[in-house]
Amino acid sequence: MSSGGPTATSSTNASPRSHPGPTTTRRRVDAIAADRTSNFSDFNHDFSDEEDSLGGSSTTGGPHHFHHNYHCHNHSHRHHPLIKYLLLRRKFFFFVPESWLLGVEDLTAAISRGLRSGKNMGRRIFGVLMLMAVLSVFLKVSFWSQTERNIHENSNLVIFRHFKDDWARAQRSIIEHHPSISTPLLHKLPPIPKIWMKPNSDDFYQCIPPPRNQIRARKTNGYLLVHANGGLNQMRTGICDMVAAAMLMNATLVLPALDRESFWTDPSTFKDIFDWRHFMEALKDDIDVVEYLPSQYAAKKPHEKAPVSWSKANYYRVEMATLLKKYKVLRFTHSDSRLANNGLAAHIQRLRCRANYKALRYAKEIEDLGKKLVDRLRNKSEPYVALHLRYEKDMLAFTGCSHNLTAEEAEELRVMRFKTPHWKEKEIDSKTRRLQGGCPMTPREAAIFLKAMGYPSSTAIYIVAGPSYGSGSMAPFLAEFPNVFSHFNLATSEELEPIKPYQNRLAALDYIVALESDVFIYTYHGNMAKAVQGHRRFEGFRKTINPDKRNFVVLIDQLDDGALSWEEFSLQVQSLHSDRIGAPYQRQAGSSPKEEENFYANPLPGCVCNISQEIFVSPKLVQTVKPSNRAALNR
């Protein structure tokens, strides 16, 4: 396979290509982070004034600041033996409780007085031996106790370390501090091209463990049946909401039923797409999940209910739980967007993320094929772009974006829109919608966008979507970027045969390839774009470009009209998107749920935490890390 993009080098601020597929390096770092992502609020960080003053007037200086202040203090009191003793005592026995030190000092003083009495040599020898025995036992117990405590605390949080593997940064550091050093290795590994660099997210980590004091109710209030509606990604996030709803209602969740009546009419079941046994096992400490209704309820007609969209926790905890207790079997007819994005307790938000990022794993055959496709795209260790080119028939009919099509194709879309009852908007002006930024990019617009952002024509591009609609619509794209792939031409016919007839399984395959890509670009903010970009944020803020379509279409029209040169156009496009590459920023509540950012598109805050805003403890150092004074993080 010819992929031909620029060679990339492993880098923290660079392409995630250093983690091909489920890369061992990333998994190892993820494992370290996972062991240290306990709830910070579970720890008590009240420290003594003595420990704070020992570190100097400021706690932000780190270990070197601490060390410097200690020696200044010690030097200024070198003629006072008592103070010197106390400082040395604190330095070498920081891990020993104060009461223990006082006890040993009292015992030592008593033995010393006995020795000074000088009555006989045998008593003196006995006293020395006793002192040695006591000190030996004391030190062993002290070190054993401290070691045990450190092991326990380190398994929860004690200190969070983010190990950097940014080669470019290390190279610059070596050159700056040791200019005399010249090694062939520095010249063999070029810096990562900017187009593949991921945004800086050093201070952020996953934080989704359940509360340490979580106690589940022993008896269920009843059984919850769920009809997950929509396409794959809409169903996926809806199922996560239903997991949280089941916990709030104290309900036993039956494996969800998937939508078979959407545009694609895919008959796949939950078991066909997801690893259902893993789903049940992963959630066993949160809720009960069963494969089927028990026999005593199997013939019972469930009470049906469509939950109110964007509901708060109390709606499920009180109103829906009351219905469940009354009917024992409750069926939710819709699952999409049934839980609020914001204003929920931390343990609810974290459960939604555990369901999404840990429990909902695709079926083994889909996962295995997805990994194969990723490996093929990374042939010769080249990076690749996953482009969510949502220029498909159903999306164009829904949005009314027909400005790039023939009159016959536009009419076909109009007829489809009017025949779909749940699409409320029927009469749409395509040109106005495009200028408002409400249309998916055309293949030509997407190609010009990629080129303006600096991606060379040799870049390997995986299309995360079905076939583009319109006669010859992909021709302009292929003219600029010939190395275009999809599951149809990347997988063999034998590999694709078992899932080819099923659109949701193909979408699951695309999800895996998009998640693992070096750069993910989406041309329409639909359900898949939301789900994948949120997952990429959770996995370390992998580079994800969100095109500003409203301003971009103005620029491309100016380019086409000759009002802008290519150089001016390219510079403006890059400037416009310098802060739209998936960097960390806080999800904010809006005036209404429809106007605010989706929780699953940005799980910060909720499931991603900022270490620079936390207090952490080291066995040898107490340090409060204050929020950085740098400018607010860009998108």
Side-chain angles (χ1 to χ4, degrees):
M1 180 185 72
S2 175
S3 54
T7 304
T9 313
S10 178
S11 169
T12 297
N13 288 333
S15 162
R17 185 183 54 74
S18 53
H19 327 301
T23 312
T24 55
T25 301
R26 192 180 76 244
R27 296 303 182 206
R28 187 163 61 249
V29 174
D30 290 345
I32 295 171
D35 289 339
R36 295 170 176 175
T37 55
S38 298
N39 190 346
F40 279 71
S41 63
D42 293 337
F43 296 88
N44 182 358
H45 299 296
D46 293 331
F47 308 116
S48 68
D49 292 336
E50 179 185 4
E51 290 176 77
D52 288 338
S53 62
L54 191 61
S57 60
S58 171
T59 58
T60 60
H64 298 294
H65 187 78
F66 172 90
H67 186 72
H68 171 74
N69 282 344
Y70 168 76
H71 280 291
C72 290
H73 192 151
N74 193 19
H75 177 75
S76 64
H77 297 282
R78 64 184 181 277
H79 298 299
H80 301 274
L82 178 59
I83 294 177
K84 184 174 182 179
Y85 164 72
L86 290 174
L87 289 171
L88 289 173
R89 173 181 179 269
R90 192 61 189 156
K91 177 179 179 181
F92 292 108
F93 296 99
F94 61 88
F95 53 84
V96 180
E98 189 70 20
S99 59
W100 291 24
L101 283 173
L102 292 173
V104 172
E105 288 170 346
D106 290 343
L107 178 61
T108 304
I111 294 175
S112 177
R113 286 193 298 272
L115 291 174
R116 286 197 299 270
S117 64
K119 291 184 177 180
N120 57 66
M121 184 60 66
R123 183 175 296 177
R124 293 182 182 183
I125 295 173
F126 177 77
V128 171
L129 292 175
M130 282 294 294
L131 177 62
M132 293 175 63
V134 170
L135 286 174
S136 176
V137 173
F138 165 74
L139 290 173
K140 286 181 180 179
V141 172
S142 298
F143 277 104
W144 176 83
S145 175
Q146 179 64 18
T147 301
E148 289 294 308
R149 185 164 71 252
N150 287 345
I151 291 173
H152 173 72
E153 290 178 351
N154 282 334
S155 68
N156 290 287
L157 179 62
V158 178
I159 188 168
F160 182 85
R161 302 282 190 198
H162 187 99
F163 295 101
K164 305 177 185 298
D165 60 355
D166 189 339
W167 170 255
R169 188 180 301 172
Q171 180 178 345
R172 288 195 302 269
S173 178
I174 292 174
I175 293 172
E176 289 172 2
H177 294 88
H178 305 281
S180 61
I181 294 178
S182 176
T183 168
L185 187 60
L186 292 177
H187 302 292
K188 288 181 179 179
L189 298 176
I192 302 301
K194 185 178 180 180
I195 58 173
W196 302 111
M197 286 184 177
K198 68 183 288 290
N200 178 36
S201 60
D202 289 351
D203 292 339
F204 295 85
Y205 65 98
Q206 300 173 2
C207 52
I208 61 170
R212 301 173 73 189
N213 58 350
Q214 177 172 293
I215 300 175
R216 287 183 49 196
R218 294 182 178 180
K219 186 178 180 181
T220 182
N221 287 333
Y223 293 85
L224 179 62
L225 300 170
V226 172
H227 172 254
N229 61 298
L232 174 69
N233 295 286
Q234 188 173 338
M235 291 191 291
R236 180 186 178 111
T237 55
I239 289 169
C240 299
D241 283 355
M242 293 300 99
V243 168
M247 191 200 73
L248 291 167
M249 297 163 60
N250 187 27
T252 298
L253 179 66
V254 181
L255 284 181
L258 303 188
D259 193 342
R260 301 184 180 186
E261 300 176 358
S262 61
F263 174 76
W264 299 110
T265 61
D266 187 335
S268 299
T269 66
F270 187 93
K271 292 182 178 180
D272 293 326
I273 297 176
F274 298 104
D275 185 339
W276 62 278
R277 289 187 177 87
H278 173 77
F279 180 77
M280 296 172 69
E281 176 68 18
L283 295 173
K284 67 179 182 181
D285 293 331
D286 298 296
I287 62 170
D288 285 326
V289 184
V290 296
E291 191 176 354
Y292 306 106
L293 279 173
S295 56
Q296 64 266 36
Y297 295 111
K300 179 180 176 64
K301 183 179 180 180
H303 179 76
E304 293 193 346
K305 178 74 175 178
V308 176
S309 297
W310 317 112
S311 294
K312 298 289 187 180
N314 209 46
Y315 171 78
Y316 291 99
R317 190 180 285 119
V318 177
E319 190 173 336
M320 293 298 99
T322 302
L323 282 178
L324 184 63
K325 291 175 183 177
K326 179 179 179 180
Y327 294 102
K328 294 303 178 185
V329 181
L330 191 60
R331 180 177 182 267
F332 285 163
T333 59
H334 293 75
S335 64
D336 63 313
S337 306
R338 304 294 147 164
L339 198 57
N341 291 312
N342 304 292
L344 300 176
H347 71 280
I348 299 297
Q349 301 288 53
R350 294 180 179 189
L351 175 57
R352 296 167 86 180
C353 287
R354 288 199 299 278
N356 195 17
Y357 306 131
K358 301 300 180 184
L360 279 178
R361 188 168 67 190
Y362 292 119
K364 186 178 185 303
E365 58 271 19
I366 298 175
E367 289 277 350
D368 289 347
L369 182 53
K371 293 171 185 176
K372 287 182 181 179
L373 299 191
V374 170
D375 289 341
R376 289 169 191 171
L377 283 164
R378 289 215 172 96
N379 183 33
K380 300 180 182 178
S381 299
E382 295 291 343
Y384 72 93
V385 170
L387 176 65
H388 187 41
L389 188 61
R390 195 69 166 90
Y391 204 70
E392 297 161 285
K393 185 177 181 179
D394 64 322
M395 180 53 64
L396 296 179
F398 173 72
T399 58
C401 298
S402 57
H403 52 275
N404 195 50
L405 305 173
T406 66
E408 292 76 13
E409 291 166 345
E411 177 61 20
E412 185 178 4
L413 296 181
R414 192 189 70 83
V415 170
M416 180 180 178
R417 184 166 62 254
F418 274 83
K419 284 185 176 179
T420 307
H422 60 276
W423 290 354
K424 304 302 181 185
E425 199 173 5
K426 303 300 183 182
E427 295 291 348
I428 301 173
D429 185 282
S430 177
K431 293 182 179 179
T432 301
R433 179 62 57 88
R434 174 178 177 267
L435 292 175
Q436 293 171 342
C439 286
M441 282 184 176
T442 67
R444 175 181 177 269
E445 289 171 341
I448 293 176
F449 176 80
L450 283 166
K451 186 177 179 181
M453 290 293 289
Y455 292 93
S457 60
S458 58
T459 303
I461 298 174
Y462 184 89
I463 302 297
V464 186
S468 292
Y469 183 71
S471 177
S473 62
M474 280 297 292
F477 191 95
L478 294 172
E480 293 287 351
F481 295 94
N483 292 329
V484 174
F485 304 93
S486 70
H487 48 247
F488 288 114
N489 64 1
L490 203 55
T492 66
S493 56
E494 291 78 13
E495 290 170 335
L496 210 57
E497 187 62 32
I499 65 174
K500 188 176 181 179
Y502 308 103
Q503 292 299 322
N504 284 332
R505 298 185 219 183
L506 292 174
L509 190 64
D510 284 349
Y511 186 101
I512 295 170
V513 181
L515 177 63
E516 298 297 331
S517 65
D518 298 275
V519 177
F520 176 61
I521 303 173
Y522 55 93
T523 66
Y524 186 79
H525 201 66
N527 291 308
M528 184 168 199
K530 293 173 184 175
V532 173
Q533 68 172 302
H535 202 156
R536 288 172 67 86
R537 283 189 166 109
F538 182 77
E539 293 293 345
F541 296 91
R542 302 173 185 175
K543 189 166 188 175
T544 301
I545 301 177
N546 170 21
D548 183 346
K549 295 195 297 293
R550 176 178 292 182
N551 287 306
F552 176 74
V553 296
V554 173
L555 291 175
I556 197 173
D557 287 347
Q558 291 176 350
L559 177 70
D560 290 341
D561 293 340
L564 285 177
S565 68
W566 173 259
E567 290 72 20
E568 292 171 328
F569 170 77
S570 181
L571 284 174
Q572 290 196 42
V573 170
Q574 291 181 30
S575 175
L576 184 63
H577 294 87
S578 61
D579 63 347
R580 300 175 71 92
I581 59 173
Y585 67 90
Q586 294 270 339
R587 184 186 69 257
Q588 299 294 331
S591 57
S592 69
K594 288 186 178 181
E595 295 176 2
E596 64 188 11
E597 190 171 21
N598 185 276
F599 172 78
Y600 296 105
N602 183 9
L604 168 66
C607 305
V608 178
C609 296
N610 188 344
I611 189 65
S612 69
Q613 296 176 352
E614 305 290 350
I615 297 175
F616 64 88
V617 183
S618 166
K620 294 186 179 181
L621 178 67
V622 177
Q623 179 176 352
T624 302
V625 181
K626 297 180 180 179
S628 173
N629 292 326
R630 66 188 177 216
L633 289 166
N634 292 324
R635 295 179 180 239

